Each structure stands twice: as C-alpha cells, then as structure tokens.
Amino acid sequence: MLNDPFQRLGLDREALSVSQLNNRARLLLEDVFAQVWVEGEISNLAKPASGHLYFTLKDSQAQVRCALFRQNAARVRQALRDGLAVRVRGKVSLFEGRGDYQLILDTVEPAGDGALRLAFEALKEKLSAEGLFASERKRALPAHPQRIGIVSSPTGAVIRDIISVFRRRAPQVALTLIPTAVQGREATAQIVRALQLADRAGFDAIILARGGGSLEDLWCFNEEAVARAVADCVTPIVSAVGHETDVSISDFVADVRAPTPSAAAELLAPDSSDLQRRLDSLNRRLALSLRSRLSREQLRLDGLARRLRHPGERLRQQAQRLDDLDMRLRRAFAQQSTSRHERLARLDGRLHAQHPGRALALLRQRLDSLGERLPRAIELQLRQQRQQLENLVQTLHIVSPLATLGRGYSILLDERGQAVRSAAQTRPGQRLKARLSEGELDVRVEDNHLTPVTLSLLD
C-alpha cells in the first residue's frame, strides 16, 4: 500500500480495491472538512441501545446523514426529535463499509425557531408538573356576564372584532379595555401588570387576546411570568392568542382557550335573540304551568269542600269511638289480669314441685350409699393390683437373663458392651467380658474356628 494515500496513481493503470478507494476518500474528506458547521432540520432520528444517535440533516434541496456517538450525545441538553431545526458541528467523513457520505458530529445546538420550540416545551413541561394545567383548577365561565375586561392592544383588528361581536350578540354587556403591548421587549411586564389590574377590578371574566403572528411575535405569551400571572387570577380568563393553529403557554394555563379573539367574545357574549326566544319559551311554559296548577288546585278544593262536614257530627263520631275504645280496653285489661293470675298459679305449683329440699334428700341418700361402697371398692382394687404385680414379678423372673446366669450360664460382651451371639462376631485375639451370675471375667478369643487350618503334609 502507498504511504501517501493522496499521491497520484501510476500511469500503468494501477487499480485500487474498493476498500482502498473508500479509505482514501475518507481520509481526504476528513482532512479537508475537519470541522464544519451545518444548519438543517432533523429527520429519520434513530436511537439504538448503544446510546449513539443517527439522523438525517436536511433542507429544502438536499440531505446528509449524521452520526452522534454516545460520549458526545450525552452532552446535548435538548431533546432531539424529527422536525427540529439545529446547527451541528463535526467533520465530514465516509462510512467505508457502505461507502456512505456522512457527518461525524461533536456538537448539536438549536437553530432559530428550534430554540424557541425547545424553550416552549421545557416551560410547558415545568408548569404542567406544577399542576398549572390541571383541569380541576380551571373555573367555569359565567353564563350571563355583565362586565368583561379585555387585556389586549388598543390598536389593531382584535379589539374591533371583540367589540363587534358584543354589539351584535350582547349589547348590554359592559366592556373595559386594559391596554398593553402584545409584542416586543416591554410586552411581558405590561401584560402581567394589565392582568393584575383586571383581576382586581371585579370583572365577571377577562379576555386575553392578540392577533396572529410568528412564534417570535407571540413569544411574550409563552413567558413564565405571564403564565403565572394568568394562574394567579381569581377571575375566569379566556385566552385567545393568535390564529386557530397557534398555541401558547397562556392557552394551557387559562380557564378556557378560544381559537380566535372573535370566538372568545362569542363564548362570553350570550346571543340576545337566543335569550329572547328562550325567555318567550319560558313565559309560555310558565303560563301553561300556572293554568294547569290552578286547575288541579280547583279540583282539589272542590273535593275537600264535598268532604267537609259539620264539626258536631265529627265530635259525635269521635265520642262514640272513644266509648268503644274504653270498653275494649276494660275487657282487654280484665282478660289479661285473669290470664296473669292463672299463669302465676301454674308457676307456683311448678315451684313447689321442684323445691330443692327434695332433691337434697335424694342426693344425701346417694352420698351415704357411695360412702359405704368406696372403702370396699378401694380394698378390692388393691387386692387385684397386688395379685397382678405378683404375677408380673414371677413372669419377669422366668425370662430374666439373671435367672439363666444362676443356672451356670454366662453372657459374653464385646468392647462396646454388646452381647456376642455367634462366633462370627469375634476374631482371634479379641478381648471379651464374660458376665457370670456372680462377678465378671476378662477372656481372650484364641480361635473362633471360622478360619480353615492348613496342616503341613510333611508333619
């Protein structure tokens, strides 16, 4: 292989292998483009388990593959995703295995609108984690507001559109403009101050409005100070910032988001013609309900009048009923008294029949009888137990090894104190203990006659 990969090939048509060609191309690219900055949009982002990142950087006319290895990817603070505009730094290289032209990156930064998008997502995630977007903290809009505050620019089409909607739908609602800048360096502080003034003014609702624009133009509505000012308001707030496709942080924090300022006005401006139609309908329903109620009450009154009787007749009926109840009470009392006397007599007879004196006499007789039987039973039991003991002693003496020893026999015991029952349990020279009827002997085995004896034929 040549020492200089960039020297010209010989005139004899020297051929390179594919790997040699790709290697020379890679070295050439890395030498010429050792460090370049490139700006574009991320697409086809891949995140394998190795921790490396691979994606395509593209613009409207071209694209290039990029590789961001794990040690450099760990230093990127932003969350990379498809569609994100970034500025990258790295060297131009070649993946020799496939011959793919690529950028080996060491730095990735947001570019232009991409930086704002990242800041937007970071603040959105932070405020969401704090619960500022939670549905349970959002307040309902008033059904029939009387006074509404509008936080917006005093010039432009936004305020005119809102006024036009209220004049057409609800001219009785009083509108108050709290002017503020809605774009530029001073806009954030002015919007915060205007929201605080509107919240203290006691309006039924507040509209925070601005017309459409770029992300940079609408950025003051994505500031954390404005979001927290919206969250701190006690008065219900409708956020109407930008066009229908525009979304701001204030939209998430507000109680209601409207796609446009005109839509926000329609949410808070009840249509007077609809209200009039509803009022007429309610009047008709009320009149029908009153007529129906009067008819029912008239029928009820006629029924009560027919049922109404002279109080004297009612008193006579009550007096007769009282006499009847008195007689029934007396009869019931007499019957109950008789029944109780009869029950008492029965219980008294049962009590005399079960007097404890009788039972005590019977128990005393039984106790005397048992007292006489007890000594006899004890004496009989002792005789039986004594006879059984004598029988057991005789039986034990018959089977006792001591009786056997007394007849002249002995017991051989090995070193462990176990009885020797056969010659196979011994070995020549083994010491045993012979237990006699009286005393013990130490003996030694001379021959157990188990090993065959070989005699010399010459002897």
Short mmCIF file of all heavy atoms in Angstrom, two decimals, residues 53-113:
data_model
loop_
_atom_site.label_atom_id
_atom_site.label_comp_id
_atom_site.label_asym_id
_atom_site.label_seq_id
_atom_site.Cartn_x
_atom_site.Cartn_y
_atom_site.Cartn_z
N LEU A 53 -26.55 8.23 18.38
CA LEU A 53 -27.70 8.80 17.68
C LEU A 53 -27.37 8.90 16.19
O LEU A 53 -26.27 9.33 15.82
CB LEU A 53 -28.05 10.18 18.23
CG LEU A 53 -28.44 10.26 19.71
CD1 LEU A 53 -28.75 11.69 20.10
CD2 LEU A 53 -29.63 9.37 19.99
N TYR A 54 -28.33 8.54 15.35
CA TYR A 54 -28.17 8.64 13.90
C TYR A 54 -29.40 9.36 13.35
O TYR A 54 -30.53 9.06 13.73
CB TYR A 54 -28.04 7.25 13.27
CG TYR A 54 -26.90 6.44 13.81
CD1 TYR A 54 -27.10 5.51 14.83
CD2 TYR A 54 -25.62 6.59 13.32
CE1 TYR A 54 -26.05 4.76 15.34
CE2 TYR A 54 -24.56 5.84 13.82
CZ TYR A 54 -24.78 4.93 14.83
OH TYR A 54 -23.75 4.20 15.33
N PHE A 55 -29.19 10.32 12.47
CA PHE A 55 -30.31 11.01 11.84
C PHE A 55 -29.85 11.62 10.52
O PHE A 55 -28.65 11.61 10.19
CB PHE A 55 -30.87 12.10 12.77
CG PHE A 55 -29.87 13.14 13.23
CD1 PHE A 55 -29.61 14.28 12.47
CD2 PHE A 55 -29.20 12.98 14.42
CE1 PHE A 55 -28.71 15.23 12.90
CE2 PHE A 55 -28.30 13.92 14.88
CZ PHE A 55 -28.04 15.04 14.11
N THR A 56 -30.83 12.13 9.80
CA THR A 56 -30.56 12.82 8.53
C THR A 56 -30.79 14.30 8.73
O THR A 56 -31.81 14.71 9.30
CB THR A 56 -31.49 12.29 7.42
OG1 THR A 56 -31.27 10.89 7.27
CG2 THR A 56 -31.23 13.01 6.12
N LEU A 57 -29.84 15.12 8.30
CA LEU A 57 -29.96 16.58 8.36
C LEU A 57 -30.30 17.05 6.95
O LEU A 57 -29.61 16.73 5.99
CB LEU A 57 -28.64 17.19 8.83
CG LEU A 57 -28.69 18.65 9.30
CD1 LEU A 57 -29.53 18.75 10.56
CD2 LEU A 57 -27.29 19.19 9.55
N LYS A 58 -31.42 17.79 6.85
CA LYS A 58 -31.88 18.14 5.51
C LYS A 58 -32.33 19.60 5.45
O LYS A 58 -32.60 20.23 6.47
CB LYS A 58 -33.04 17.23 5.10
CG LYS A 58 -34.30 17.42 5.95
CD LYS A 58 -35.43 16.54 5.47
CE LYS A 58 -36.71 16.80 6.27
NZ LYS A 58 -37.83 15.97 5.80
N ASP A 59 -32.38 20.10 4.23
CA ASP A 59 -33.05 21.38 3.94
C ASP A 59 -33.98 21.13 2.77
O ASP A 59 -34.31 19.98 2.47
CB ASP A 59 -32.03 22.50 3.70
CG ASP A 59 -31.10 22.19 2.52
OD1 ASP A 59 -31.43 21.29 1.70
OD2 ASP A 59 -30.05 22.81 2.41
N SER A 60 -34.41 22.18 2.11
CA SER A 60 -35.41 22.02 1.06
C SER A 60 -34.87 21.32 -0.18
O SER A 60 -35.64 20.83 -1.01
CB SER A 60 -35.98 23.38 0.68
OG SER A 60 -34.95 24.24 0.21
N GLN A 61 -33.53 21.24 -0.34
CA GLN A 61 -32.98 20.72 -1.59
C GLN A 61 -32.04 19.53 -1.42
O GLN A 61 -31.75 18.84 -2.39
CB GLN A 61 -32.21 21.84 -2.31
CG GLN A 61 -33.11 23.00 -2.72
CD GLN A 61 -32.34 24.11 -3.42
OE1 GLN A 61 -31.11 24.14 -3.36
NE2 GLN A 61 -33.04 25.01 -4.06
N ALA A 62 -31.53 19.28 -0.21
CA ALA A 62 -30.55 18.21 -0.06
C ALA A 62 -30.60 17.67 1.35
O ALA A 62 -31.28 18.21 2.23
CB ALA A 62 -29.14 18.72 -0.39
N GLN A 63 -29.85 16.57 1.56
CA GLN A 63 -29.78 15.96 2.87
C GLN A 63 -28.44 15.26 3.04
O GLN A 63 -27.78 14.92 2.06
CB GLN A 63 -30.92 14.97 3.08
CG GLN A 63 -30.88 13.77 2.17
CD GLN A 63 -32.06 12.84 2.40
OE1 GLN A 63 -33.08 13.24 2.92
NE2 GLN A 63 -31.89 11.59 2.00
N VAL A 64 -28.03 15.05 4.30
CA VAL A 64 -26.79 14.36 4.60
C VAL A 64 -27.00 13.55 5.88
O VAL A 64 -27.70 13.98 6.80
CB VAL A 64 -25.62 15.37 4.78
CG1 VAL A 64 -25.88 16.32 5.95
CG2 VAL A 64 -24.30 14.63 5.00
N ARG A 65 -26.40 12.36 5.91
CA ARG A 65 -26.52 11.51 7.08
C ARG A 65 -25.56 11.98 8.17
O ARG A 65 -24.45 12.44 7.87
CB ARG A 65 -26.23 10.05 6.74
CG ARG A 65 -27.22 9.46 5.75
CD ARG A 65 -26.89 8.01 5.43
NE ARG A 65 -26.97 7.16 6.62
CZ ARG A 65 -28.10 6.65 7.08
NH1 ARG A 65 -29.25 6.88 6.44
NH2 ARG A 65 -28.11 5.88 8.15
N CYS A 66 -25.98 11.85 9.45
CA CYS A 66 -25.18 12.32 10.57
C CYS A 66 -25.10 11.22 11.63
O CYS A 66 -26.05 10.45 11.82
CB CYS A 66 -25.78 13.58 11.21
SG CYS A 66 -25.87 14.97 10.09
N ALA A 67 -23.95 11.18 12.32
CA ALA A 67 -23.75 10.24 13.43
C ALA A 67 -23.26 11.02 14.63
O ALA A 67 -22.30 11.80 14.53
CB ALA A 67 -22.76 9.15 13.04
N LEU A 68 -23.93 10.84 15.79
CA LEU A 68 -23.53 11.49 17.04
C LEU A 68 -23.29 10.38 18.05
O LEU A 68 -24.24 9.75 18.54
CB LEU A 68 -24.64 12.44 17.52
CG LEU A 68 -24.36 13.22 18.81
CD1 LEU A 68 -23.20 14.18 18.59
CD2 LEU A 68 -25.61 13.98 19.25
N PHE A 69 -22.01 10.13 18.34
CA PHE A 69 -21.68 9.00 19.20
C PHE A 69 -21.98 9.30 20.66
O PHE A 69 -22.15 10.46 21.05
CB PHE A 69 -20.22 8.59 19.00
CG PHE A 69 -19.94 8.09 17.61
CD1 PHE A 69 -19.02 8.70 16.79
CD2 PHE A 69 -20.66 7.00 17.12
CE1 PHE A 69 -18.78 8.23 15.51
CE2 PHE A 69 -20.43 6.54 15.84
CZ PHE A 69 -19.50 7.15 15.02
N ARG A 70 -22.05 8.23 21.45
CA ARG A 70 -22.62 8.30 22.80
C ARG A 70 -21.95 9.36 23.68
O ARG A 70 -22.63 10.12 24.37
CB ARG A 70 -22.50 6.92 23.47
CG ARG A 70 -23.08 6.87 24.87
CD ARG A 70 -23.07 5.46 25.40
NE ARG A 70 -21.71 4.90 25.33
CZ ARG A 70 -21.43 3.62 25.53
NH1 ARG A 70 -22.40 2.76 25.78
NH2 ARG A 70 -20.18 3.18 25.47
N GLN A 71 -20.62 9.46 23.67
CA GLN A 71 -19.94 10.40 24.56
C GLN A 71 -20.30 11.84 24.22
O GLN A 71 -20.36 12.71 25.11
CB GLN A 71 -18.43 10.19 24.54
CG GLN A 71 -17.77 10.42 23.17
CD GLN A 71 -17.76 9.15 22.34
OE1 GLN A 71 -18.55 8.24 22.58
NE2 GLN A 71 -16.85 9.07 21.36
N ASN A 72 -20.55 12.13 22.93
CA ASN A 72 -20.97 13.48 22.54
C ASN A 72 -22.47 13.68 22.70
O ASN A 72 -22.94 14.76 23.03
CB ASN A 72 -20.56 13.76 21.09
CG ASN A 72 -19.05 13.83 20.92
OD1 ASN A 72 -18.36 14.37 21.77
ND2 ASN A 72 -18.54 13.28 19.83
N ALA A 73 -23.24 12.59 22.50
CA ALA A 73 -24.70 12.70 22.66
C ALA A 73 -25.07 13.00 24.10
O ALA A 73 -26.08 13.67 24.36
CB ALA A 73 -25.36 11.39 22.21
N ALA A 74 -24.27 12.54 25.07
CA ALA A 74 -24.58 12.79 26.48
C ALA A 74 -24.47 14.27 26.83
O ALA A 74 -25.04 14.72 27.83
CB ALA A 74 -23.63 11.97 27.36
N ARG A 75 -23.74 15.04 26.03
CA ARG A 75 -23.57 16.47 26.33
C ARG A 75 -24.67 17.33 25.72
O ARG A 75 -24.73 18.53 25.98
CB ARG A 75 -22.21 16.96 25.82
CG ARG A 75 -21.02 16.30 26.51
CD ARG A 75 -19.76 17.11 26.27
NE ARG A 75 -19.41 17.16 24.86
CZ ARG A 75 -18.59 16.31 24.27
NH1 ARG A 75 -18.04 15.32 24.96
NH2 ARG A 75 -18.31 16.43 22.98
N VAL A 76 -25.54 16.75 24.90
CA VAL A 76 -26.62 17.52 24.28
C VAL A 76 -27.76 17.66 25.28
O VAL A 76 -28.32 16.67 25.75
CB VAL A 76 -27.12 16.82 22.99
CG1 VAL A 76 -28.28 17.61 22.38
CG2 VAL A 76 -25.98 16.71 22.00
N ARG A 77 -28.09 18.89 25.66
CA ARG A 77 -29.11 19.15 26.68
C ARG A 77 -30.52 19.07 26.12
O ARG A 77 -31.46 18.75 26.85
CB ARG A 77 -28.89 20.53 27.31
CG ARG A 77 -27.56 20.63 28.05
CD ARG A 77 -27.42 21.99 28.72
NE ARG A 77 -26.19 22.08 29.47
CZ ARG A 77 -26.03 21.68 30.73
NH1 ARG A 77 -27.06 21.15 31.36
NH2 ARG A 77 -24.89 21.77 31.36
N GLN A 78 -30.70 19.40 24.85
CA GLN A 78 -32.05 19.42 24.29
C GLN A 78 -32.48 18.00 23.88
O GLN A 78 -31.64 17.16 23.57
CB GLN A 78 -32.12 20.34 23.05
CG GLN A 78 -31.83 21.79 23.34
CD GLN A 78 -30.34 22.09 23.43
OE1 GLN A 78 -29.54 21.25 23.09
NE2 GLN A 78 -29.99 23.27 23.91
N ALA A 79 -33.78 17.78 23.92
CA ALA A 79 -34.34 16.51 23.45
C ALA A 79 -34.47 16.57 21.93
O ALA A 79 -35.25 17.35 21.40
CB ALA A 79 -35.69 16.24 24.10
N LEU A 80 -33.68 15.77 21.23
CA LEU A 80 -33.72 15.78 19.77
C LEU A 80 -34.95 15.03 19.28
O LEU A 80 -35.34 14.02 19.86
CB LEU A 80 -32.44 15.15 19.21
CG LEU A 80 -31.12 15.82 19.64
CD1 LEU A 80 -29.96 15.13 18.94
CD2 LEU A 80 -31.14 17.31 19.33
N ARG A 81 -35.54 15.52 18.19
CA ARG A 81 -36.72 14.89 17.62
C ARG A 81 -36.80 15.27 16.15
O ARG A 81 -36.15 16.23 15.70
CB ARG A 81 -37.99 15.36 18.34
CG ARG A 81 -38.15 16.84 18.39
CD ARG A 81 -39.43 17.27 19.10
NE ARG A 81 -39.49 18.71 19.29
CZ ARG A 81 -39.79 19.59 18.36
NH1 ARG A 81 -40.06 19.17 17.14
NH2 ARG A 81 -39.82 20.88 18.62
N ASP A 82 -37.57 14.51 15.41
CA ASP A 82 -37.76 14.82 13.99
C ASP A 82 -38.43 16.17 13.83
O ASP A 82 -39.35 16.52 14.59
CB ASP A 82 -38.61 13.73 13.34
CG ASP A 82 -37.85 12.43 13.18
OD1 ASP A 82 -36.60 12.44 13.28
OD2 ASP A 82 -38.50 11.41 12.94
N GLY A 83 -37.98 16.95 12.84
CA GLY A 83 -38.56 18.26 12.58
C GLY A 83 -37.88 19.39 13.30
O GLY A 83 -38.21 20.55 13.08
N LEU A 84 -36.92 19.09 14.20
CA LEU A 84 -36.24 20.13 14.97
C LEU A 84 -35.13 20.75 14.11
O LEU A 84 -34.32 20.06 13.51
CB LEU A 84 -35.64 19.51 16.24
CG LEU A 84 -34.97 20.49 17.20
CD1 LEU A 84 -35.99 21.43 17.81
CD2 LEU A 84 -34.25 19.73 18.31
N ALA A 85 -35.11 22.10 14.07
CA ALA A 85 -34.07 22.82 13.34
C ALA A 85 -32.85 22.96 14.25
O ALA A 85 -32.96 23.44 15.38
CB ALA A 85 -34.56 24.19 12.90
N VAL A 86 -31.68 22.54 13.78
CA VAL A 86 -30.47 22.54 14.60
C VAL A 86 -29.28 23.04 13.80
O VAL A 86 -29.28 23.06 12.56
CB VAL A 86 -30.17 21.12 15.15
CG1 VAL A 86 -31.24 20.67 16.12
CG2 VAL A 86 -30.05 20.11 14.00
N ARG A 87 -28.24 23.46 14.55
CA ARG A 87 -26.92 23.76 14.00
C ARG A 87 -25.97 22.72 14.57
O ARG A 87 -25.91 22.53 15.78
CB ARG A 87 -26.45 25.16 14.37
CG ARG A 87 -27.30 26.26 13.75
CD ARG A 87 -26.83 27.64 14.20
NE ARG A 87 -25.54 27.98 13.62
CZ ARG A 87 -24.41 28.14 14.31
NH1 ARG A 87 -24.41 27.96 15.62
NH2 ARG A 87 -23.28 28.46 13.71
N VAL A 88 -25.23 22.03 13.69
CA VAL A 88 -24.35 20.95 14.14
C VAL A 88 -22.92 21.27 13.72
O VAL A 88 -22.67 21.97 12.73
CB VAL A 88 -24.79 19.59 13.56
CG1 VAL A 88 -26.20 19.27 14.00
CG2 VAL A 88 -24.70 19.58 12.03
N ARG A 89 -21.98 20.74 14.54
CA ARG A 89 -20.56 20.88 14.22
C ARG A 89 -19.93 19.50 14.18
O ARG A 89 -20.21 18.65 15.04
CB ARG A 89 -19.86 21.73 15.27
CG ARG A 89 -18.38 22.02 14.93
CD ARG A 89 -17.71 22.76 16.06
NE ARG A 89 -17.57 21.90 17.24
CZ ARG A 89 -17.12 22.33 18.42
NH1 ARG A 89 -16.80 23.60 18.59
NH2 ARG A 89 -17.02 21.49 19.42
N GLY A 90 -19.04 19.29 13.17
CA GLY A 90 -18.38 18.00 13.08
C GLY A 90 -17.49 17.94 11.86
O GLY A 90 -17.22 18.95 11.21
N LYS A 91 -17.02 16.75 11.55
CA LYS A 91 -16.15 16.56 10.40
C LYS A 91 -16.87 15.72 9.35
O LYS A 91 -17.67 14.84 9.68
CB LYS A 91 -14.85 15.88 10.82
CG LYS A 91 -15.02 14.48 11.40
CD LYS A 91 -13.68 13.90 11.83
CE LYS A 91 -13.87 12.51 12.47
NZ LYS A 91 -12.59 11.93 12.91
N VAL A 92 -16.55 16.01 8.11
CA VAL A 92 -17.11 15.23 7.01
C VAL A 92 -16.30 13.94 6.88
O VAL A 92 -15.07 13.96 6.90
CB VAL A 92 -17.06 16.03 5.69
CG1 VAL A 92 -17.64 15.21 4.55
CG2 VAL A 92 -17.80 17.34 5.84
N SER A 93 -17.01 12.82 6.81
CA SER A 93 -16.32 11.53 6.76
C SER A 93 -17.06 10.60 5.81
O SER A 93 -18.01 11.00 5.13
CB SER A 93 -16.24 10.93 8.17
OG SER A 93 -15.51 9.72 8.15
N LEU A 94 -16.59 9.37 5.78
CA LEU A 94 -17.17 8.36 4.91
C LEU A 94 -17.25 7.06 5.69
O LEU A 94 -16.26 6.63 6.30
CB LEU A 94 -16.31 8.15 3.66
CG LEU A 94 -16.92 7.27 2.57
CD1 LEU A 94 -17.92 8.07 1.76
CD2 LEU A 94 -15.82 6.74 1.66
N PHE A 95 -18.42 6.44 5.69
CA PHE A 95 -18.55 5.12 6.30
C PHE A 95 -18.08 4.10 5.28
O PHE A 95 -18.77 3.80 4.31
CB PHE A 95 -20.00 4.87 6.71
CG PHE A 95 -20.23 3.55 7.37
CD1 PHE A 95 -19.41 3.13 8.42
CD2 PHE A 95 -21.23 2.70 6.95
CE1 PHE A 95 -19.59 1.92 9.02
CE2 PHE A 95 -21.43 1.47 7.56
CZ PHE A 95 -20.61 1.07 8.60
N GLU A 96 -16.86 3.58 5.49
CA GLU A 96 -16.20 2.78 4.47
C GLU A 96 -16.97 1.50 4.14
O GLU A 96 -16.95 1.03 3.01
CB GLU A 96 -14.78 2.41 4.92
CG GLU A 96 -13.88 3.63 5.08
CD GLU A 96 -12.47 3.25 5.49
OE1 GLU A 96 -12.06 2.10 5.22
OE2 GLU A 96 -11.79 4.09 6.07
N GLY A 97 -17.65 0.93 5.14
CA GLY A 97 -18.33 -0.34 4.89
C GLY A 97 -19.39 -0.24 3.81
O GLY A 97 -19.61 -1.19 3.05
N ARG A 98 -20.11 0.92 3.76
CA ARG A 98 -21.15 1.07 2.74
C ARG A 98 -20.82 2.16 1.72
O ARG A 98 -21.59 2.36 0.79
CB ARG A 98 -22.48 1.41 3.41
CG ARG A 98 -23.09 0.29 4.22
CD ARG A 98 -24.55 0.57 4.52
NE ARG A 98 -24.73 1.82 5.23
CZ ARG A 98 -24.81 1.92 6.56
NH1 ARG A 98 -24.73 0.83 7.30
NH2 ARG A 98 -24.96 3.08 7.15
N GLY A 99 -19.75 2.89 1.95
CA GLY A 99 -19.43 3.99 1.06
C GLY A 99 -20.36 5.17 1.23
O GLY A 99 -20.55 5.96 0.30
N ASP A 100 -20.98 5.31 2.43
CA ASP A 100 -21.92 6.40 2.69
C ASP A 100 -21.19 7.64 3.16
O ASP A 100 -20.37 7.61 4.09
CB ASP A 100 -22.95 5.98 3.77
CG ASP A 100 -23.93 4.97 3.25
OD1 ASP A 100 -24.03 4.83 2.02
OD2 ASP A 100 -24.63 4.36 4.07
N TYR A 101 -21.53 8.74 2.55
CA TYR A 101 -21.00 10.05 2.94
C TYR A 101 -21.78 10.52 4.16
O TYR A 101 -23.00 10.45 4.20
CB TYR A 101 -21.20 10.98 1.74
CG TYR A 101 -21.09 12.45 1.99
CD1 TYR A 101 -19.84 13.07 2.06
CD2 TYR A 101 -22.23 13.24 2.12
CE1 TYR A 101 -19.74 14.43 2.25
CE2 TYR A 101 -22.13 14.60 2.32
CZ TYR A 101 -20.88 15.19 2.39
OH TYR A 101 -20.80 16.55 2.59
N GLN A 102 -21.08 11.00 5.23
CA GLN A 102 -21.76 11.35 6.46
C GLN A 102 -20.97 12.40 7.24
O GLN A 102 -19.81 12.68 6.94
CB GLN A 102 -21.95 10.12 7.35
CG GLN A 102 -20.64 9.50 7.82
CD GLN A 102 -20.87 8.27 8.68
OE1 GLN A 102 -21.99 7.89 8.97
NE2 GLN A 102 -19.77 7.62 9.10
N LEU A 103 -21.67 12.96 8.26
CA LEU A 103 -21.05 13.90 9.19
C LEU A 103 -20.89 13.20 10.53
O LEU A 103 -21.84 12.63 11.06
CB LEU A 103 -21.92 15.15 9.37
CG LEU A 103 -21.96 16.17 8.23
CD1 LEU A 103 -23.00 17.24 8.53
CD2 LEU A 103 -20.60 16.81 8.06
N ILE A 104 -19.66 13.26 11.08
CA ILE A 104 -19.41 12.77 12.43
C ILE A 104 -19.47 13.99 13.35
O ILE A 104 -18.60 14.85 13.31
CB ILE A 104 -18.05 12.06 12.55
CG1 ILE A 104 -17.94 10.95 11.51
CG2 ILE A 104 -17.85 11.52 13.95
CD1 ILE A 104 -18.97 9.86 11.67
N LEU A 105 -20.52 14.06 14.21
CA LEU A 105 -20.81 15.29 14.96
C LEU A 105 -20.20 15.23 16.35
O LEU A 105 -20.04 14.16 16.96
CB LEU A 105 -22.32 15.49 15.09
CG LEU A 105 -23.12 15.48 13.78
CD1 LEU A 105 -24.60 15.70 14.07
CD2 LEU A 105 -22.59 16.53 12.82
N ASP A 106 -19.88 16.43 16.87
CA ASP A 106 -19.48 16.55 18.27
C ASP A 106 -20.32 17.57 19.02
O ASP A 106 -20.28 17.64 20.25
CB ASP A 106 -18.00 16.89 18.40
CG ASP A 106 -17.63 18.16 17.64
OD1 ASP A 106 -18.53 19.00 17.39
OD2 ASP A 106 -16.47 18.31 17.29
N THR A 107 -21.13 18.38 18.29
CA THR A 107 -21.95 19.42 18.92
C THR A 107 -23.26 19.54 18.17
O THR A 107 -23.28 19.51 16.93
CB THR A 107 -21.23 20.79 18.92
OG1 THR A 107 -19.99 20.65 19.63
CG2 THR A 107 -22.09 21.85 19.61
N VAL A 108 -24.37 19.68 18.93
CA VAL A 108 -25.69 19.93 18.35
C VAL A 108 -26.35 21.05 19.14
O VAL A 108 -26.45 20.98 20.38
CB VAL A 108 -26.58 18.67 18.40
CG1 VAL A 108 -27.97 18.98 17.83
CG2 VAL A 108 -25.94 17.53 17.62
N GLU A 109 -26.78 22.11 18.42
CA GLU A 109 -27.41 23.25 19.07
C GLU A 109 -28.73 23.56 18.36
O GLU A 109 -28.85 23.34 17.15
CB GLU A 109 -26.52 24.50 19.00
CG GLU A 109 -25.21 24.36 19.73
CD GLU A 109 -24.34 25.60 19.56
OE1 GLU A 109 -24.75 26.51 18.80
OE2 GLU A 109 -23.28 25.64 20.18
N PRO A 110 -29.73 24.09 19.09
CA PRO A 110 -30.96 24.50 18.41
C PRO A 110 -30.69 25.70 17.51
O PRO A 110 -29.85 26.55 17.81
CB PRO A 110 -31.90 24.87 19.57
CG PRO A 110 -31.00 25.18 20.71
CD PRO A 110 -29.80 24.30 20.54
N ALA A 111 -31.45 25.79 16.44
CA ALA A 111 -31.24 26.87 15.48
C ALA A 111 -32.54 27.61 15.26
O ALA A 111 -33.57 26.99 14.98
CB ALA A 111 -30.73 26.32 14.14
N GLY A 112 -32.52 28.92 15.40
CA GLY A 112 -33.66 29.76 15.07
C GLY A 112 -34.91 29.36 15.83
O GLY A 112 -34.94 29.31 17.05
N ASP A 113 -35.97 29.04 15.11
CA ASP A 113 -37.25 28.65 15.69
C ASP A 113 -37.12 27.40 16.55
O ASP A 113 -37.87 27.21 17.50
CB ASP A 113 -38.25 28.41 14.56
CG ASP A 113 -39.63 28.08 15.08
OD1 ASP A 113 -40.22 28.93 15.75
OD2 ASP A 113 -40.08 26.94 14.84
#
